[in-house]
Amino acid sequence: MAIKKVGSQTVKFANPPSIISSGTIVGPKEGQGPLKDYFDMILTDDTYGEKSWEKAECKMFQDSVNLALKKASLNISDIDYLIGGDLLNQIITSSFAARQFNVPTFGLYGACSTMAEGLSIASMLIDGGFADHIVVTTSSHFSTAERQYRFPLEQGVQRPFTSQWTVTGSGSSLLSSNGTGPYITHVTTGKVVDLGMKDANNMGAAMAPAAADTILTHFNDTGFTIDDYDLIITGDMARVGKSILMELLRKEGMNIENKYKDCGIEIYDESQDVHSGGSGAGCSAVVLNGWLLQQIKSGIYNRVLFIATGALLSPTSTQQGESIPGIAHAVTISNYA
Amino acid sequence: MAIKKVGSQTVKFANPPSIISSGTIVGPKEGQGPLKDYFDMILTDDTYGEKSWEKAECKMFQDSVNLALKKASLNISDIDYLIGGDLLNQIITSSFAARQFNVPTFGLYGACSTMAEGLSIASMLIDGGFADHIVVTTSSHFSTAERQYRFPLEQGVQRPFTSQWTVTGSGSSLLSSNGTGPYITHVTTGKVVDLGMKDANNMGAAMAPAAADTILTHFNDTGFTIDDYDLIITGDMARVGKSILMELLRKEGMNIENKYKDCGIEIYDESQDVHSGGSGAGCSAVVLNGWLLQQIKSGIYNRVLFIATGALLSPTSTQQGESIPGIAHAVTISNYA
């Protein structure tokens, strides 16, 4: 077994990469939420002056990359790889955004787990000696997701209370082999888990078993205890998924309640009528790269387990009666290397 | 700059991983083509006994993984990561197939470039010390792709002569840190290139500039010459793309004609009425893991540059008047480490 492997699904970095800068841009609704002061840019119009929501999402993706580069005083030519993904069919947001950047590009699809998937692969590429600088970017957009996955917005379909609200936003992390933290010290890569949930309006429930599996594996692989972390934060379990996840972990003897938050709950106020909470590949990306990294840098949380979760369904799989597989990837972000 | 980086876009492995086994399964049409003797399994019915083509593609993906494992006398528990992708929205083939495997999974989307993207990331993870065994798998299916990207098959739309035929097939490569070759010695990661082609029925033309860019960069980064290779093989340029690619390279002073093949041309006979040739994420996967690896092992080709190319369009991007970005990733496969 390779020397950097810890347990069955976790790797520990010999020279942990640093997140040296980040960029975030969000839509108007996210810009009215409790984390509004932590985002770099807030759109006043979710078309962002473009002719389609898809083009607007693409522009947001580009801007979040550029914001991260600017804050680090780097140019795109300093970047070894751009690693990104989004929720649209054929990840057109990422691919069309990457046209503007003259840089080697890896496209990912992990649904809402993509930010953690990208951070995992990027960290391995840097620690492995293949790159000094990598930008990891994901995005989502309420209006592009809604019409692709569900119904035309004009139809005004009523949303059940278990449903989540896709975050309009894009977040980028700029990772470097040479930095002073926050460091990515461990990653635990998830398996695809499917317990048979079929309700596409209740993705928190579909993703909770995958999140529980990855969290339990992470602690088992590393030997860490809850006390080793100041915060355990999932990507977009939202309220329904959060309680199921806590219950699943409790059954395994693990109580995370006092240290647990979810990006999909943090990003909106309950008054914003988002039902269970936020979701989308952009949700964990903007919360991590906006609010969370600033909390880590200021020492409020010194060591965080960031777990992004994905529901791997498609409208076609749902129409064919399939259940919803979930996946979760965990990344340890710490002020200590 | 990291020590393993060679030039701007290429990495050279310190301990090149080996492709220790492979698995291939193809549909009836591919099983009548010139490479039929090199595939592990040939379906007589492209539904593979399933209720939908999507479920059939998923079963093919699983089978190709299992075939590769079996030939290496390994179990899925010996595998550190499954890395895969396909052409379907939200890569449901890969995600639903991965449910059956209890293994950490990374989902990719690189359209028809995904096999080379997966081999690139897998090789970096192994050489970086994070894994000993990784399976890389991609798939495509004529009938799932046709109805998703183009028209219902029942409609019987006439295909222009520049169009390509999506290969029904899945191919897996099993990479190991400990093998005796064929080795992956170098990878050159492509940039997204878009010269403004808008014809979704002529993807070879859309992908040729990306292929040319990656090939030129590979030779520039490594200092290799054409003489260092016995074969240069692209994934699915097909006939139209092949001539454009050769012309683009000729303009840059590079003549690859005597050493150049394309998987999309090799897989079908001209009499099979596939117009420009084969395409799809499964095309390069089954040709590499079927015919090509056997040619390398038998010493017919000792050193091969394998370039898989992807057209990063979606029906939505085409409807919105966008052009077609392309990407190409190159992998050096050699009998010498």
Short mmCIF file of all heavy atoms in Angstrom, two decimals, chain A residues 1-2 4-5 52 54-55 80 89-90 99 102 105 107 109 117 124 128-130 132 148-149 190-191 194 314 320 322-323 329, chain B residues 1-2 4-5 52 54-55 80 89-90 99 102 104-105 107 109 117 124 128-130 132 148-149 190-191 194 314 320 322-323 329:
data_model
loop_
_atom_site.label_atom_id
_atom_site.label_comp_id
_atom_site.label_asym_id
_atom_site.label_seq_id
_atom_site.Cartn_x
_atom_site.Cartn_y
_atom_site.Cartn_z
N MET A 1 0.85 -1.21 0.00
CA MET A 1 0.00 0.00 0.00
C MET A 1 0.88 1.25 0.00
O MET A 1 1.91 1.29 0.65
CB MET A 1 -0.91 -0.05 1.24
CG MET A 1 -2.11 0.85 1.24
SD MET A 1 -3.10 0.88 -0.29
CE MET A 1 -3.68 -0.85 -0.34
N ALA A 2 0.45 2.24 -0.73
CA ALA A 2 1.26 3.46 -0.86
C ALA A 2 1.45 4.13 0.50
O ALA A 2 0.57 4.10 1.35
CB ALA A 2 0.57 4.42 -1.83
N LYS A 4 1.49 7.18 1.56
CA LYS A 4 0.70 8.33 2.00
C LYS A 4 -0.73 7.95 2.32
O LYS A 4 -1.53 8.78 2.70
CB LYS A 4 0.72 9.42 0.93
CG LYS A 4 2.11 10.01 0.72
CD LYS A 4 2.13 10.94 -0.47
CE LYS A 4 3.52 11.48 -0.74
NZ LYS A 4 3.57 12.26 -1.99
N LYS A 5 -1.07 6.69 2.10
CA LYS A 5 -2.42 6.21 2.35
C LYS A 5 -2.58 5.94 3.85
O LYS A 5 -1.74 5.30 4.47
CB LYS A 5 -2.62 4.91 1.55
CG LYS A 5 -4.04 4.49 1.40
CD LYS A 5 -4.60 4.80 0.03
CE LYS A 5 -6.04 4.38 -0.05
NZ LYS A 5 -6.23 3.03 -0.57
N SER A 52 -28.50 34.68 -21.57
CA SER A 52 -29.11 33.48 -20.98
C SER A 52 -28.52 33.28 -19.59
O SER A 52 -27.43 33.77 -19.28
CB SER A 52 -28.86 32.24 -21.85
OG SER A 52 -27.51 31.83 -21.73
N GLU A 54 -27.43 30.49 -18.57
CA GLU A 54 -26.25 29.64 -18.73
C GLU A 54 -25.00 30.51 -18.98
O GLU A 54 -23.93 30.24 -18.43
CB GLU A 54 -26.45 28.66 -19.90
CG GLU A 54 -27.43 27.52 -19.59
CD GLU A 54 -28.90 27.95 -19.59
OE1 GLU A 54 -29.20 29.06 -20.10
OE2 GLU A 54 -29.74 27.19 -19.07
N LYS A 55 -25.16 31.52 -19.83
CA LYS A 55 -24.01 32.41 -20.08
C LYS A 55 -23.66 33.21 -18.82
O LYS A 55 -22.48 33.50 -18.56
CB LYS A 55 -24.34 33.37 -21.24
CG LYS A 55 -24.39 32.69 -22.63
CD LYS A 55 -24.71 33.72 -23.72
CE LYS A 55 -25.30 33.09 -24.98
NZ LYS A 55 -24.34 32.39 -25.82
N ASP A 80 -0.84 25.91 -12.94
CA ASP A 80 -0.54 24.66 -13.64
C ASP A 80 -1.79 23.96 -14.16
O ASP A 80 -1.78 23.40 -15.25
CB ASP A 80 0.22 23.72 -12.69
CG ASP A 80 1.53 24.31 -12.24
OD1 ASP A 80 2.38 24.59 -13.12
OD2 ASP A 80 1.72 24.52 -11.03
N ASN A 89 -25.61 19.92 -17.86
CA ASN A 89 -25.29 18.81 -18.76
C ASN A 89 -23.98 19.12 -19.49
O ASN A 89 -23.80 20.21 -20.00
CB ASN A 89 -26.41 18.63 -19.79
CG ASN A 89 -27.73 18.25 -19.15
OD1 ASN A 89 -27.76 17.82 -18.00
ND2 ASN A 89 -28.82 18.40 -19.89
N GLN A 90 -23.10 18.09 -19.54
CA GLN A 90 -21.80 18.24 -20.19
C GLN A 90 -20.98 19.38 -19.57
O GLN A 90 -20.14 19.99 -20.24
CB GLN A 90 -21.94 18.43 -21.71
CG GLN A 90 -22.42 17.19 -22.45
CD GLN A 90 -23.91 16.91 -22.26
OE1 GLN A 90 -24.74 17.77 -22.51
NE2 GLN A 90 -24.23 15.72 -21.79
N ARG A 99 -12.46 28.17 -21.82
CA ARG A 99 -12.00 28.72 -23.11
C ARG A 99 -11.24 30.02 -22.91
O ARG A 99 -10.37 30.37 -23.70
CB ARG A 99 -13.21 29.08 -24.00
CG ARG A 99 -13.98 27.96 -24.53
CD ARG A 99 -14.91 28.43 -25.61
NE ARG A 99 -15.96 29.31 -25.10
CZ ARG A 99 -17.03 29.67 -25.81
NH1 ARG A 99 -17.18 29.22 -27.04
NH2 ARG A 99 -17.94 30.46 -25.30
N ASN A 102 -6.06 30.15 -20.74
CA ASN A 102 -5.12 29.38 -21.53
C ASN A 102 -4.34 28.47 -20.58
O ASN A 102 -3.16 28.69 -20.33
CB ASN A 102 -4.21 30.38 -22.26
CG ASN A 102 -3.40 29.74 -23.35
OD1 ASN A 102 -3.84 28.78 -23.98
ND2 ASN A 102 -2.20 30.25 -23.56
N THR A 105 -6.63 21.90 -18.27
CA THR A 105 -7.92 21.84 -17.58
C THR A 105 -8.39 20.41 -17.40
O THR A 105 -8.36 19.61 -18.34
CB THR A 105 -8.97 22.64 -18.39
OG1 THR A 105 -8.54 23.99 -18.49
CG2 THR A 105 -10.34 22.59 -17.72
N GLY A 107 -11.89 18.52 -16.24
CA GLY A 107 -13.31 18.67 -15.92
C GLY A 107 -13.79 17.53 -15.04
O GLY A 107 -13.46 16.37 -15.27
N TYR A 109 -17.17 15.75 -12.72
CA TYR A 109 -18.58 15.76 -12.38
C TYR A 109 -18.79 14.97 -11.10
O TYR A 109 -18.59 13.75 -11.07
CB TYR A 109 -19.51 15.20 -13.47
CG TYR A 109 -20.95 15.43 -13.03
CD1 TYR A 109 -21.52 16.68 -13.18
CD2 TYR A 109 -21.65 14.45 -12.35
CE1 TYR A 109 -22.79 16.94 -12.69
CE2 TYR A 109 -22.93 14.69 -11.86
CZ TYR A 109 -23.49 15.94 -12.03
OH TYR A 109 -24.74 16.20 -11.53
N GLU A 117 -14.26 17.20 -4.30
CA GLU A 117 -13.57 16.32 -5.25
C GLU A 117 -12.39 17.07 -5.87
O GLU A 117 -11.27 16.54 -5.96
CB GLU A 117 -14.55 15.85 -6.35
CG GLU A 117 -13.92 14.89 -7.34
CD GLU A 117 -14.83 14.52 -8.52
OE1 GLU A 117 -15.94 15.07 -8.63
OE2 GLU A 117 -14.40 13.68 -9.34
N MET A 124 -3.63 16.28 -4.18
CA MET A 124 -2.77 15.14 -4.53
C MET A 124 -1.80 15.52 -5.65
O MET A 124 -0.64 15.12 -5.63
CB MET A 124 -3.62 13.94 -4.94
CG MET A 124 -4.42 13.35 -3.77
SD MET A 124 -5.10 11.70 -4.13
CE MET A 124 -6.82 11.96 -3.78
N GLY A 128 2.01 15.55 -4.81
CA GLY A 128 2.70 14.56 -5.64
C GLY A 128 3.83 15.16 -6.47
O GLY A 128 4.59 14.42 -7.09
N GLY A 129 3.93 16.49 -6.50
CA GLY A 129 5.03 17.14 -7.21
C GLY A 129 4.74 17.47 -8.66
O GLY A 129 5.65 17.71 -9.44
N PHE A 130 3.46 17.48 -9.04
CA PHE A 130 3.11 17.72 -10.43
C PHE A 130 2.69 19.16 -10.71
O PHE A 130 2.45 19.53 -11.86
CB PHE A 130 1.98 16.78 -10.86
CG PHE A 130 2.32 15.35 -10.63
CD1 PHE A 130 1.72 14.63 -9.62
CD2 PHE A 130 3.29 14.73 -11.40
CE1 PHE A 130 2.05 13.31 -9.37
CE2 PHE A 130 3.64 13.41 -11.17
CZ PHE A 130 3.03 12.70 -10.15
N ASP A 132 2.53 23.45 -8.89
CA ASP A 132 2.74 24.39 -7.78
C ASP A 132 1.48 25.19 -7.48
O ASP A 132 1.25 25.57 -6.34
CB ASP A 132 3.90 25.33 -8.10
CG ASP A 132 5.24 24.65 -7.89
OD1 ASP A 132 5.32 23.79 -7.00
OD2 ASP A 132 6.19 24.96 -8.63
N GLN A 148 -33.18 22.82 -15.96
CA GLN A 148 -32.60 21.56 -16.45
C GLN A 148 -33.10 20.36 -15.65
O GLN A 148 -33.39 19.30 -16.23
CB GLN A 148 -31.08 21.63 -16.37
CG GLN A 148 -30.42 20.30 -16.77
CD GLN A 148 -28.91 20.36 -16.64
OE1 GLN A 148 -28.24 20.93 -17.47
NE2 GLN A 148 -28.39 19.75 -15.59
N TYR A 149 -33.17 20.49 -14.34
CA TYR A 149 -33.48 19.34 -13.50
C TYR A 149 -34.97 19.19 -13.21
O TYR A 149 -35.43 18.10 -12.90
CB TYR A 149 -32.77 19.44 -12.14
CG TYR A 149 -31.30 19.12 -12.20
CD1 TYR A 149 -30.34 20.13 -12.22
CD2 TYR A 149 -30.86 17.81 -12.25
CE1 TYR A 149 -28.99 19.84 -12.26
CE2 TYR A 149 -29.51 17.50 -12.29
CZ TYR A 149 -28.59 18.52 -12.30
OH TYR A 149 -27.26 18.22 -12.34
N GLY A 190 -14.89 9.56 -1.11
CA GLY A 190 -16.09 8.80 -0.86
C GLY A 190 -16.40 7.73 -1.90
O GLY A 190 -15.92 7.77 -3.03
N LYS A 191 -17.21 6.78 -1.45
CA LYS A 191 -17.78 5.76 -2.34
C LYS A 191 -19.19 6.18 -2.73
O LYS A 191 -19.82 6.98 -2.03
CB LYS A 191 -17.87 4.44 -1.58
CG LYS A 191 -16.57 3.92 -1.04
CD LYS A 191 -16.80 2.75 -0.09
CE LYS A 191 -15.48 2.14 0.32
NZ LYS A 191 -15.65 1.04 1.29
N ASP A 194 -25.98 4.11 -2.12
CA ASP A 194 -27.39 4.23 -2.54
C ASP A 194 -28.24 3.33 -1.68
O ASP A 194 -28.18 2.11 -1.78
CB ASP A 194 -27.51 3.84 -4.02
CG ASP A 194 -28.89 4.15 -4.58
OD1 ASP A 194 -29.85 4.33 -3.80
OD2 ASP A 194 -29.02 4.20 -5.82
N SER A 314 -30.03 11.98 -12.44
CA SER A 314 -30.34 12.83 -13.60
C SER A 314 -31.84 12.71 -13.85
O SER A 314 -32.48 11.76 -13.37
CB SER A 314 -29.56 12.37 -14.83
OG SER A 314 -30.23 11.34 -15.52
N GLN A 320 -36.59 6.77 -15.31
CA GLN A 320 -36.49 5.32 -15.48
C GLN A 320 -36.64 4.57 -14.15
O GLN A 320 -36.33 3.38 -14.07
CB GLN A 320 -35.16 4.97 -16.18
CG GLN A 320 -35.13 5.50 -17.61
CD GLN A 320 -33.93 5.01 -18.42
OE1 GLN A 320 -33.15 4.18 -17.96
NE2 GLN A 320 -33.79 5.52 -19.64
N GLU A 322 -35.09 4.88 -11.27
CA GLU A 322 -33.90 4.60 -10.47
C GLU A 322 -33.95 5.37 -9.15
O GLU A 322 -34.51 6.46 -9.06
CB GLU A 322 -32.64 5.05 -11.23
CG GLU A 322 -32.30 4.19 -12.43
CD GLU A 322 -31.58 2.89 -12.08
OE1 GLU A 322 -31.48 2.56 -10.88
OE2 GLU A 322 -31.14 2.21 -13.01
N SER A 323 -33.28 4.85 -8.14
CA SER A 323 -33.08 5.58 -6.90
C SER A 323 -31.92 6.55 -7.08
O SER A 323 -31.35 6.66 -8.16
CB SER A 323 -32.84 4.60 -5.75
OG SER A 323 -31.81 3.69 -6.11
N HIS A 329 -17.21 13.59 -0.31
CA HIS A 329 -15.74 13.63 -0.16
C HIS A 329 -15.40 14.57 0.99
O HIS A 329 -15.97 15.66 1.09
CB HIS A 329 -15.08 14.13 -1.44
CG HIS A 329 -15.42 13.32 -2.66
ND1 HIS A 329 -15.08 11.98 -2.77
CD2 HIS A 329 -16.06 13.64 -3.80
CE1 HIS A 329 -15.52 11.54 -3.94
NE2 HIS A 329 -16.12 12.52 -4.58
N MET B 1 8.89 25.80 -9.90
CA MET B 1 8.08 24.82 -10.64
C MET B 1 8.38 23.41 -10.13
O MET B 1 9.51 23.08 -9.81
CB MET B 1 8.40 24.95 -12.14
CG MET B 1 7.39 24.36 -13.08
SD MET B 1 5.65 24.77 -12.72
CE MET B 1 5.63 26.55 -13.02
N ALA B 2 7.35 22.63 -10.02
CA ALA B 2 7.50 21.28 -9.47
C ALA B 2 8.47 20.45 -10.31
O ALA B 2 8.51 20.58 -11.54
CB ALA B 2 6.14 20.60 -9.42
N LYS B 4 8.60 17.38 -11.30
CA LYS B 4 8.16 16.40 -12.30
C LYS B 4 7.56 17.06 -13.53
O LYS B 4 7.16 16.39 -14.46
CB LYS B 4 7.14 15.46 -11.67
CG LYS B 4 7.74 14.59 -10.57
CD LYS B 4 6.67 13.82 -9.82
CE LYS B 4 7.27 12.99 -8.69
NZ LYS B 4 6.21 12.38 -7.87
N LYS B 5 7.47 18.37 -13.52
CA LYS B 5 6.89 19.11 -14.63
C LYS B 5 7.95 19.27 -15.72
O LYS B 5 9.09 19.64 -15.45
CB LYS B 5 6.47 20.49 -14.10
CG LYS B 5 5.53 21.25 -14.99
CD LYS B 5 4.11 21.18 -14.51
CE LYS B 5 3.20 21.91 -15.51
NZ LYS B 5 3.02 23.31 -15.16
N SER B 52 -33.66 -0.50 -20.54
CA SER B 52 -33.34 0.75 -21.26
C SER B 52 -31.90 0.68 -21.74
O SER B 52 -31.08 -0.07 -21.21
CB SER B 52 -33.54 1.98 -20.36
OG SER B 52 -32.50 2.06 -19.41
N GLU B 54 -29.83 3.04 -21.36
CA GLU B 54 -29.01 3.63 -20.29
C GLU B 54 -28.59 2.55 -19.30
O GLU B 54 -27.44 2.51 -18.85
CB GLU B 54 -29.78 4.75 -19.57
CG GLU B 54 -29.94 6.04 -20.37
CD GLU B 54 -30.98 5.96 -21.49
OE1 GLU B 54 -31.79 5.00 -21.48
OE2 GLU B 54 -30.98 6.84 -22.38
N LYS B 55 -29.54 1.67 -18.95
CA LYS B 55 -29.20 0.58 -18.02
C LYS B 55 -28.20 -0.39 -18.68
O LYS B 55 -27.32 -0.95 -18.02
CB LYS B 55 -30.46 -0.15 -17.57
CG LYS B 55 -31.36 0.67 -16.63
CD LYS B 55 -32.60 -0.15 -16.23
CE LYS B 55 -33.76 0.71 -15.77
NZ LYS B 55 -33.63 1.24 -14.41
N ASP B 80 -7.65 1.15 -5.13
CA ASP B 80 -7.69 2.36 -4.31
C ASP B 80 -8.72 3.36 -4.81
O ASP B 80 -9.38 4.02 -4.02
CB ASP B 80 -6.30 3.01 -4.30
CG ASP B 80 -5.25 2.10 -3.68
OD1 ASP B 80 -5.42 1.74 -2.51
OD2 ASP B 80 -4.28 1.74 -4.38
N ASN B 89 -25.84 12.86 -19.44
CA ASN B 89 -26.05 13.95 -18.50
C ASN B 89 -25.81 13.44 -17.08
O ASN B 89 -26.30 12.37 -16.70
CB ASN B 89 -27.49 14.47 -18.61
CG ASN B 89 -27.78 15.07 -19.98
OD1 ASN B 89 -26.85 15.38 -20.74
ND2 ASN B 89 -29.05 15.22 -20.31
N GLN B 90 -25.05 14.24 -16.31
CA GLN B 90 -24.72 13.87 -14.92
C GLN B 90 -24.00 12.52 -14.84
O GLN B 90 -24.07 11.84 -13.82
CB GLN B 90 -25.98 13.89 -14.02
CG GLN B 90 -26.57 15.27 -13.76
CD GLN B 90 -27.32 15.84 -14.95
OE1 GLN B 90 -28.25 15.22 -15.46
NE2 GLN B 90 -26.92 17.02 -15.41
N ARG B 99 -22.13 2.36 -7.93
CA ARG B 99 -22.90 1.84 -6.78
C ARG B 99 -22.55 0.39 -6.48
O ARG B 99 -22.63 -0.06 -5.34
CB ARG B 99 -24.41 1.84 -7.11
CG ARG B 99 -25.05 3.16 -7.16
CD ARG B 99 -26.54 3.00 -7.18
NE ARG B 99 -27.04 2.35 -8.39
CZ ARG B 99 -28.31 2.31 -8.74
NH1 ARG B 99 -29.21 2.91 -7.98
NH2 ARG B 99 -28.71 1.72 -9.84
N ASN B 102 -17.67 -1.08 -4.13
CA ASN B 102 -17.47 -0.45 -2.83
C ASN B 102 -16.07 0.16 -2.82
O ASN B 102 -15.17 -0.32 -2.15
CB ASN B 102 -17.63 -1.56 -1.79
CG ASN B 102 -17.77 -1.02 -0.40
OD1 ASN B 102 -18.27 0.09 -0.20
ND2 ASN B 102 -17.29 -1.78 0.57
N PRO B 104 -13.60 4.03 -3.39
CA PRO B 104 -13.55 5.49 -3.58
C PRO B 104 -13.58 5.85 -5.06
O PRO B 104 -12.85 5.24 -5.86
CB PRO B 104 -12.21 5.87 -2.94
CG PRO B 104 -11.99 4.84 -1.89
CD PRO B 104 -12.53 3.56 -2.50
N THR B 105 -14.42 6.81 -5.40
CA THR B 105 -14.71 7.09 -6.81
C THR B 105 -14.57 8.57 -7.15
O THR B 105 -15.07 9.42 -6.41
CB THR B 105 -16.16 6.63 -7.12
OG1 THR B 105 -16.26 5.21 -6.87
CG2 THR B 105 -16.52 6.90 -8.57
N GLY B 107 -15.57 11.06 -10.30
CA GLY B 107 -16.27 11.18 -11.57
C GLY B 107 -15.66 12.30 -12.41
O GLY B 107 -15.36 13.37 -11.89
N TYR B 109 -15.74 14.55 -16.26
CA TYR B 109 -16.39 14.81 -17.55
C TYR B 109 -15.40 15.50 -18.48
O TYR B 109 -14.99 16.63 -18.24
CB TYR B 109 -17.67 15.65 -17.44
CG TYR B 109 -18.32 15.71 -18.80
CD1 TYR B 109 -19.07 14.64 -19.26
CD2 TYR B 109 -18.07 16.76 -19.67
CE1 TYR B 109 -19.58 14.63 -20.55
CE2 TYR B 109 -18.58 16.76 -20.95
CZ TYR B 109 -19.34 15.69 -21.38
OH TYR B 109 -19.83 15.67 -22.66
N GLU B 117 -7.98 11.68 -19.93
CA GLU B 117 -8.05 12.48 -18.69
C GLU B 117 -7.91 11.56 -17.47
O GLU B 117 -7.15 11.84 -16.55
CB GLU B 117 -9.38 13.25 -18.63
CG GLU B 117 -9.49 14.15 -17.40
CD GLU B 117 -10.86 14.82 -17.25
OE1 GLU B 117 -11.77 14.55 -18.07
OE2 GLU B 117 -11.02 15.60 -16.30
N MET B 124 -0.88 10.24 -12.10
CA MET B 124 -0.34 11.20 -11.12
C MET B 124 -0.62 10.73 -9.70
O MET B 124 0.23 10.86 -8.81
CB MET B 124 -0.92 12.59 -11.36
CG MET B 124 -0.44 13.20 -12.68
SD MET B 124 -0.77 15.00 -12.77
CE MET B 124 -1.70 15.09 -14.29
N GLY B 128 2.42 9.80 -7.46
CA GLY B 128 2.48 10.68 -6.29
C GLY B 128 2.47 9.93 -4.96
O GLY B 128 2.66 10.54 -3.91
N GLY B 129 2.21 8.63 -5.01
CA GLY B 129 2.25 7.82 -3.79
C GLY B 129 0.93 7.69 -3.06
O GLY B 129 0.89 7.32 -1.89
N PHE B 130 -0.17 8.00 -3.75
CA PHE B 130 -1.48 7.97 -3.10
C PHE B 130 -2.26 6.69 -3.36
O PHE B 130 -3.34 6.50 -2.81
CB PHE B 130 -2.31 9.18 -3.54
CG PHE B 130 -1.60 10.48 -3.31
CD1 PHE B 130 -1.08 11.21 -4.36
CD2 PHE B 130 -1.41 10.94 -2.02
CE1 PHE B 130 -0.39 12.39 -4.14
CE2 PHE B 130 -0.73 12.14 -1.79
CZ PHE B 130 -0.21 12.85 -2.86
N ASP B 132 -1.97 2.41 -5.11
CA ASP B 132 -1.24 1.34 -5.79
C ASP B 132 -1.99 0.81 -7.00
O ASP B 132 -1.39 0.38 -7.98
CB ASP B 132 -0.94 0.20 -4.81
CG ASP B 132 0.22 0.54 -3.91
OD1 ASP B 132 1.13 1.27 -4.37
OD2 ASP B 132 0.23 0.10 -2.74
N GLN B 148 -29.93 11.51 -26.58
CA GLN B 148 -29.64 12.65 -25.70
C GLN B 148 -29.12 13.85 -26.48
O GLN B 148 -29.50 14.98 -26.22
CB GLN B 148 -28.62 12.25 -24.64
CG GLN B 148 -28.20 13.42 -23.76
CD GLN B 148 -27.16 13.03 -22.74
OE1 GLN B 148 -27.44 12.39 -21.74
NE2 GLN B 148 -25.92 13.39 -23.01
N TYR B 149 -28.21 13.60 -27.42
CA TYR B 149 -27.55 14.71 -28.11
C TYR B 149 -28.26 15.15 -29.39
O TYR B 149 -28.10 16.26 -29.84
CB TYR B 149 -26.11 14.33 -28.50
CG TYR B 149 -25.15 14.33 -27.34
CD1 TYR B 149 -24.77 13.15 -26.72
CD2 TYR B 149 -24.62 15.52 -26.87
CE1 TYR B 149 -23.87 13.16 -25.66
CE2 TYR B 149 -23.72 15.54 -25.82
CZ TYR B 149 -23.34 14.36 -25.22
OH TYR B 149 -22.47 14.37 -24.17
N GLY B 190 -4.37 18.92 -21.78
CA GLY B 190 -4.80 19.90 -22.77
C GLY B 190 -5.52 21.10 -22.18
O GLY B 190 -6.04 21.06 -21.06
N LYS B 191 -5.51 22.16 -22.98
CA LYS B 191 -6.30 23.36 -22.71
C LYS B 191 -7.59 23.30 -23.53
O LYS B 191 -7.64 22.60 -24.54
CB LYS B 191 -5.52 24.59 -23.17
CG LYS B 191 -4.17 24.76 -22.50
CD LYS B 191 -3.36 25.86 -23.20
CE LYS B 191 -2.06 26.12 -22.44
NZ LYS B 191 -1.24 27.16 -23.10
N ASP B 194 -11.05 26.74 -28.73
CA ASP B 194 -12.29 26.96 -29.49
C ASP B 194 -12.00 27.93 -30.62
O ASP B 194 -11.76 29.11 -30.39
CB ASP B 194 -13.36 27.51 -28.55
CG ASP B 194 -14.74 27.60 -29.22
OD1 ASP B 194 -14.80 27.55 -30.47
OD2 ASP B 194 -15.73 27.73 -28.49
N SER B 314 -22.96 21.01 -25.57
CA SER B 314 -24.19 20.36 -25.10
C SER B 314 -25.31 20.82 -26.02
O SER B 314 -25.17 21.84 -26.70
CB SER B 314 -24.50 20.75 -23.65
OG SER B 314 -25.21 21.97 -23.58
N GLN B 320 -28.14 27.77 -27.95
CA GLN B 320 -27.88 29.18 -27.61
C GLN B 320 -26.84 29.81 -28.54
O GLN B 320 -26.33 30.89 -28.27
CB GLN B 320 -27.47 29.29 -26.13
CG GLN B 320 -28.61 28.90 -25.20
CD GLN B 320 -28.32 29.19 -23.73
OE1 GLN B 320 -27.29 29.75 -23.39
NE2 GLN B 320 -29.25 28.80 -22.86
N GLU B 322 -23.79 28.87 -29.36
CA GLU B 322 -22.38 28.81 -29.00
C GLU B 322 -21.60 27.95 -29.98
O GLU B 322 -22.14 27.02 -30.58
CB GLU B 322 -22.23 28.19 -27.59
CG GLU B 322 -22.72 29.07 -26.46
CD GLU B 322 -21.71 30.14 -26.06
OE1 GLU B 322 -20.69 30.32 -26.75
OE2 GLU B 322 -21.97 30.80 -25.04
N SER B 323 -20.33 28.21 -30.12
CA SER B 323 -19.44 27.34 -30.88
C SER B 323 -19.02 26.16 -29.99
O SER B 323 -19.50 26.02 -28.87
CB SER B 323 -18.23 28.13 -31.37
OG SER B 323 -17.63 28.81 -30.30
N HIS B 329 -6.14 15.43 -24.41
CA HIS B 329 -5.11 15.07 -23.44
C HIS B 329 -4.25 13.96 -24.05
O HIS B 329 -4.78 13.02 -24.66
CB HIS B 329 -5.73 14.56 -22.14
CG HIS B 329 -6.67 15.54 -21.50
ND1 HIS B 329 -6.26 16.77 -21.04
CD2 HIS B 329 -8.00 15.49 -21.26
CE1 HIS B 329 -7.29 17.42 -20.53
NE2 HIS B 329 -8.37 16.68 -20.65
#
